[in-house]
Amino acid sequence: MKLLAPIIPRNELAEWSRKAHLAGQKIAFTNGCFDLIHFGHIESFREATESGAKLIVAINSDSSVSKLKGPSRPLMPELDRASLLASLRYVDAVTIFPEPTPLETILLIKPDILVKGDEYADEDIVGASEVRSWGGTIHRVPMRHGRSTSSLINKIKRLS
């Protein structure tokens, strides 16, 4: 049985990544608010690890989510979101970043695979050019129609 994945503080990310790379492991990276975990997220995590890569999920801090999504978000505090993600079988590590984008976190980790949904155009994927510069790849996961946090929130609002 897999234990909880670690929630890695920012100041330990570079060392975690270095150790994984020295052990010959590839690192896949994805990020988001992950306010409500849904099937689309799980499928994206599964796809990210199909190549055998270790998956690190970076989540926006509470203040970052509020700035991006508005004052009613996040729905769950960052440590709850991080712990929930850390309990998933496909996730090998979780980290929290305070900036509006994960670029600084990507630069610390230097992932081999950057995973984003295919709703993003290549030029809109933060960190894509940097990941390619060190030989990494971008993996775009097909969106699952109707499987988004926004659609879930809207459905809950309609039902209440």
Side-chain angles (χ1 to χ4, degrees), residues 6-22:
I7 299 171
I8 302 174
R10 181 183 208 96
N11 64 341
E12 296 176 19
L13 286 175
E15 181 63 12
W16 180 88
S17 176
R18 186 186 72 74
K19 285 179 179 175
H21 281 127
L22 281 175

Side-chain angles (χ1 to χ4, degrees), residues 8-138:
I8 302 174
R10 181 183 208 96
N11 64 341
E12 296 176 19
L13 286 175
E15 181 63 12
W16 180 88
S17 176
R18 186 186 72 74
K19 285 179 179 175
H21 281 127
L22 281 175
Q25 298 168 319
K26 286 191 173 193
I27 298 171
F29 174 93
T30 194
N31 69 280
C33 298
F34 299 108
D35 227 359
L36 290 176
I37 307 302
H38 55 73
F39 177 75
H41 292 137
I42 303 301
E43 281 297 289
S44 128
F45 301 157
R46 184 190 55 74
E47 271 195 42
T49 60
E50 279 183 342
S51 67
K54 292 178 77 91
L55 176 63
I56 184 162
V57 179
I59 66 168
N60 294 74
S61 67
D62 289 346
S63 62
S64 176
V65 173
S66 291
K67 287 176 189 163
L68 291 168
K69 304 287 185 177
S72 65
R73 305 267 301 269
L75 301 173
M76 296 187 296
E78 61 193 42
L79 288 177
D80 288 3
R81 292 181 285 127
S83 297
L84 179 62
L85 287 164
S87 73
L88 299 175
R89 68 181 284 200
Y90 300 113
V91 177
D92 293 289
V94 178
T95 193
I96 302 168
F97 65 95
E99 302 86 12
T101 76
L103 184 59
E104 288 184 42
T105 304
I106 290 168
L107 295 173
L108 286 170
I109 296 169
K110 293 193 173 31
D112 303 287
I113 306 163
L114 178 57
V115 181
K116 287 305 281 184
D118 68 356
E119 76 273 24
Y120 293 94
D122 261 11
E123 61 272 8
D124 294 331
I125 299 175
V126 172
S129 60
E130 289 79 4
V131 169
R132 286 186 180 113
S133 77
W134 56 70
T137 60
I138 310 306

